[in-house]
Coordinates of all heavy atoms in Angstrom, one line a residue:
G131 N 5.0 -17.6 -13.2 CA 4.7 -18.8 -12.6 C 5.5 -20.0 -13.1 O 5.3 -21.2 -12.6
F181 N 6.3 -22.9 -2.4 CA 6.2 -24.1 -3.2 C 5.7 -23.7 -4.6 O 5.0 -22.7 -4.8 CB 5.2 -25.2 -2.6 CG 5.8 -25.7 -1.3 CD1 5.3 -25.2 -0.1 CD2 6.7 -26.6 -1.2 CE1 5.7 -25.7 1.2 CE2 7.2 -27.1 0.0 CZ 6.7 -26.6 1.2
P182 N 6.0 -24.6 -5.7 CA 5.7 -24.2 -7.0 C 4.2 -23.9 -7.2 O 3.9 -22.9 -8.0 CB 6.0 -25.4 -7.8 CG 7.2 -26.0 -7.0 CD 6.8 -25.8 -5.6
D183 N 3.3 -24.6 -6.6 CA 1.8 -24.3 -6.7 C 1.5 -22.9 -6.1 O 0.6 -22.2 -6.7 CB 1.0 -25.4 -6.2 CG 1.2 -25.6 -4.7 OD1 2.4 -25.7 -4.3 OD2 0.2 -25.6 -3.9
E184 N 2.2 -22.5 -5.1 CA 2.0 -21.2 -4.5 C 2.5 -20.1 -5.5 O 1.8 -19.0 -5.6 CB 2.7 -21.1 -3.2 CG 2.1 -22.0 -2.1 CD 2.9 -22.0 -0.8 OE1 4.1 -22.1 -0.9 OE2 2.3 -21.9 0.2
V185 N 3.6 -20.3 -6.1 CA 4.1 -19.4 -7.1 C 3.1 -19.3 -8.3 O 2.9 -18.1 -8.7 CB 5.5 -19.8 -7.6 CG1 6.0 -18.9 -8.7 CG2 6.5 -19.9 -6.5
T186 N 2.6 -20.4 -8.7 CA 1.6 -20.3 -9.8 C 0.4 -19.5 -9.4 O -0.1 -18.7 -10.2 CB 1.1 -21.8 -10.2 OG1 2.2 -22.5 -10.6 CG2 0.1 -21.8 -11.2
A187 N -0.1 -19.6 -8.2 CA -1.3 -18.9 -7.8 C -0.9 -17.4 -7.7 O -1.8 -16.5 -8.1 CB -1.7 -19.4 -6.4
L188 N 0.3 -17.0 -7.3 CA 0.6 -15.6 -7.3 C 0.7 -15.0 -8.7 O 0.6 -13.8 -8.9 CB 2.0 -15.4 -6.6 CG 2.0 -15.6 -5.1 CD1 3.4 -15.4 -4.6 CD2 1.1 -14.5 -4.4
S189 N 1.0 -15.8 -9.7 CA 1.2 -15.3 -11.0 C -0.1 -15.0 -11.8 O 0.0 -14.7 -13.0 CB 2.1 -16.3 -11.8 OG 1.3 -17.5 -12.1
V190 N -1.2 -15.1 -11.2 CA -2.5 -14.8 -11.8 C -2.8 -13.3 -11.5 O -2.9 -12.9 -10.3 CB -3.6 -15.7 -11.4 CG1 -4.9 -15.3 -11.9 CG2 -3.3 -17.1 -11.7
Q192 N -5.5 -11.5 -12.2 CA -7.0 -11.2 -11.9 C -7.3 -11.4 -10.5 O -6.7 -12.3 -9.8 CB -7.9 -12.0 -12.8 CG -7.8 -11.8 -14.3 CD -6.9 -12.9 -14.9 OE1 -6.0 -13.4 -14.3 NE2 -7.2 -13.2 -16.2
T193 N -8.2 -10.6 -10.0 CA -8.8 -10.8 -8.6 C -9.8 -11.9 -8.7 O -10.2 -12.4 -9.7 CB -9.5 -9.5 -8.2 OG1 -10.5 -9.2 -9.0 CG2 -8.5 -8.3 -8.1
I194 N -10.2 -12.4 -7.5 CA -11.2 -13.5 -7.4 C -12.5 -13.2 -8.2 O -12.9 -14.0 -9.0 CB -11.5 -13.8 -5.9 CG1 -10.2 -14.4 -5.2 CG2 -12.6 -14.8 -5.9 CD1 -9.7 -15.7 -5.8
I197 N -11.9 -13.6 -11.9 CA -11.8 -15.0 -12.3 C -13.1 -15.7 -12.3 O -13.5 -16.4 -13.2 CB -10.8 -15.8 -11.3 CG1 -9.4 -15.2 -11.4 CG2 -10.8 -17.3 -11.7 CD1 -8.4 -15.8 -10.4
L198 N -13.9 -15.4 -11.3 CA -15.3 -16.0 -11.3 C -16.2 -15.5 -12.4 O -17.1 -16.2 -12.8 CB -15.9 -15.6 -9.9 CG -15.4 -16.3 -8.7 CD1 -16.0 -15.8 -7.4 CD2 -15.6 -17.8 -8.7
S202 N -16.3 -21.3 -16.4 CA -15.4 -22.4 -15.9 C -14.6 -23.1 -17.0 O -13.4 -23.5 -16.8 CB -16.1 -23.4 -15.0 OG -17.2 -24.0 -15.8
Q204 N -13.4 -21.9 -19.6 CA -12.4 -21.1 -20.2 C -11.3 -20.6 -19.3 O -10.4 -19.9 -19.7 CB -13.1 -19.8 -20.8 CG -14.1 -20.1 -21.9 CD -14.8 -18.9 -22.4 OE1 -14.3 -17.7 -22.2 NE2 -16.0 -19.0 -23.0
R205 N -11.3 -21.1 -18.1 CA -10.3 -20.7 -17.1 C -9.0 -21.5 -17.3 O -9.0 -22.7 -17.7 CB -10.8 -20.9 -15.7 CG -12.0 -20.0 -15.2 CD -12.5 -20.4 -13.9 NE -13.8 -19.7 -13.6 CZ -14.7 -20.2 -12.8 NH1 -14.6 -21.3 -12.2 NH2 -15.8 -19.5 -12.7
T206 N -7.9 -20.8 -17.1 CA -6.6 -21.5 -17.2 C -6.4 -22.3 -15.9 O -7.1 -22.2 -14.9 CB -5.5 -20.5 -17.3 OG1 -5.4 -19.7 -16.1 CG2 -5.7 -19.5 -18.5
L207 N -5.4 -23.2 -16.0 CA -5.0 -24.1 -14.8 C -4.6 -23.2 -13.7 O -4.9 -23.5 -12.5 CB -3.9 -25.0 -15.2 CG -4.3 -26.1 -16.2 CD1 -3.0 -26.9 -16.5 CD2 -5.3 -27.0 -15.6
A208 N -3.9 -22.1 -13.9 CA -3.5 -21.2 -12.9 C -4.7 -20.5 -12.2 O -4.7 -20.3 -11.0 CB -2.5 -20.1 -13.4
Q209 N -5.6 -20.1 -13.0 CA -6.8 -19.4 -12.4 C -7.6 -20.4 -11.6 O -8.1 -20.1 -10.5 CB -7.7 -18.9 -13.6 CG -7.2 -17.7 -14.3 CD -8.0 -17.3 -15.5 OE1 -8.6 -18.2 -16.2 NE2 -8.2 -16.0 -15.7
T210 N -7.7 -21.7 -12.0 CA -8.4 -22.7 -11.2 C -7.6 -22.9 -9.9 O -8.2 -23.1 -8.9 CB -8.4 -24.0 -12.1 OG1 -9.1 -23.8 -13.3 CG2 -9.1 -25.1 -11.3
A211 N -6.3 -22.9 -10.0 CA -5.5 -23.1 -8.7 C -5.7 -22.0 -7.8 O -5.8 -22.2 -6.5 CB -4.0 -23.2 -9.1
V212 N -5.9 -20.8 -8.3 CA -6.2 -19.6 -7.4 C -7.5 -19.8 -6.7 O -7.7 -19.6 -5.5 CB -6.1 -18.3 -8.1 CG1 -6.6 -17.1 -7.3 CG2 -4.7 -18.0 -8.6
L213 N -8.5 -20.2 -7.5 CA -9.8 -20.4 -6.9 C -9.8 -21.5 -5.9 O -10.5 -21.4 -4.8 CB -10.8 -20.7 -8.0 CG -11.3 -19.5 -8.9 CD1 -12.2 -20.0 -10.0 CD2 -11.9 -18.4 -8.1
R214 N -9.1 -22.6 -6.2 CA -9.1 -23.7 -5.2 C -8.5 -23.3 -3.9 O -9.0 -23.6 -2.8 CB -8.3 -24.9 -5.8 CG -8.2 -26.1 -4.9 CD -7.4 -27.2 -5.6 NE -8.0 -27.7 -6.8 CZ -7.4 -27.5 -8.0 NH1 -6.3 -26.8 -8.1 NH2 -8.0 -28.0 -9.1
R215 N -7.4 -22.5 -3.9 CA -6.7 -22.0 -2.7 C -7.7 -21.1 -2.0 O -7.8 -21.2 -0.7 CB -5.4 -21.3 -3.1 CG -4.3 -22.2 -3.5 CD -3.0 -21.5 -3.8 NE -2.5 -20.8 -2.6 CZ -1.8 -21.4 -1.7 NH1 -1.4 -22.7 -1.9 NH2 -1.4 -20.7 -0.6
W216 N -8.4 -20.2 -2.7 CA -9.2 -19.3 -2.0 C -10.4 -20.0 -1.4 O -10.8 -19.7 -0.2 CB -9.8 -18.3 -3.1 CG -10.7 -17.2 -2.5 CD1 -10.3 -16.1 -1.9 CD2 -12.1 -17.3 -2.4 NE1 -11.4 -15.4 -1.5 CE2 -12.5 -16.1 -1.7 CE3 -13.1 -18.2 -2.8 CZ2 -13.9 -15.8 -1.5 CZ3 -14.4 -17.9 -2.6 CH2 -14.8 -16.8 -2.0
Y217 N -10.9 -21.0 -2.1 CA -12.0 -21.8 -1.5 C -11.6 -22.5 -0.2 O -12.3 -22.5 0.8 CB -12.5 -22.9 -2.6 CG -13.5 -23.9 -2.0 CD1 -14.8 -23.5 -1.8 CD2 -13.0 -25.2 -1.8 CE1 -15.7 -24.5 -1.3 CE2 -13.9 -26.1 -1.3 CZ -15.2 -25.8 -1.0 OH -16.1 -26.7 -0.5
L218 N -10.4 -23.2 -0.2 CA -9.9 -23.9 0.9 C -9.7 -23.0 2.1 O -9.9 -23.4 3.3 CB -8.6 -24.6 0.6 CG -8.8 -25.9 -0.3 CD1 -7.4 -26.4 -0.7 CD2 -9.6 -26.9 0.3
E219 N -9.3 -21.7 1.8 CA -9.0 -20.8 2.9 C -10.3 -20.1 3.5 O -10.3 -19.8 4.7 CB -8.0 -19.7 2.5 CG -6.6 -20.3 2.2 CD -5.7 -19.2 1.7 OE1 -6.1 -18.0 1.7 OE2 -4.6 -19.6 1.3
H220 N -11.3 -19.9 2.6 CA -12.4 -19.1 3.0 C -13.8 -19.7 3.0 O -14.7 -19.2 3.7 CB -12.5 -17.8 2.1 CG -11.2 -17.0 2.1 ND1 -10.9 -16.2 3.2 CD2 -10.2 -16.9 1.2 CE1 -9.7 -15.5 2.9 NE2 -9.3 -16.0 1.8
R237 N 4.2 -30.5 4.4 CA 5.2 -30.0 3.4 C 6.3 -29.2 4.0 O 7.5 -29.3 3.7 CB 4.5 -29.2 2.2 CG 3.6 -30.0 1.4 CD 3.4 -29.4 0.0 NE 2.8 -28.1 0.0 CZ 2.5 -27.4 -1.0 NH1 2.8 -27.9 -2.2 NH2 1.9 -26.2 -0.9

Side-chain angles (χ1 to χ4, degrees):
F181 295 101
D183 59 310
E184 294 175 312
V185 176
T186 299
L188 285 177
S189 69
V190 176
Q192 298 97 329
T193 61
I194 294 297
I197 297 174
L198 289 173
S202 59
Q204 299 177 20
R205 294 172 191 156
T206 65
L207 291 176
Q209 288 174 324
T210 302
V212 171
L213 287 180
R214 183 181 297 112
R215 289 181 61 84
W216 182 85
Y217 170 76
L218 288 172
E219 292 177 7
H220 301 283
R237 292 204 297 181

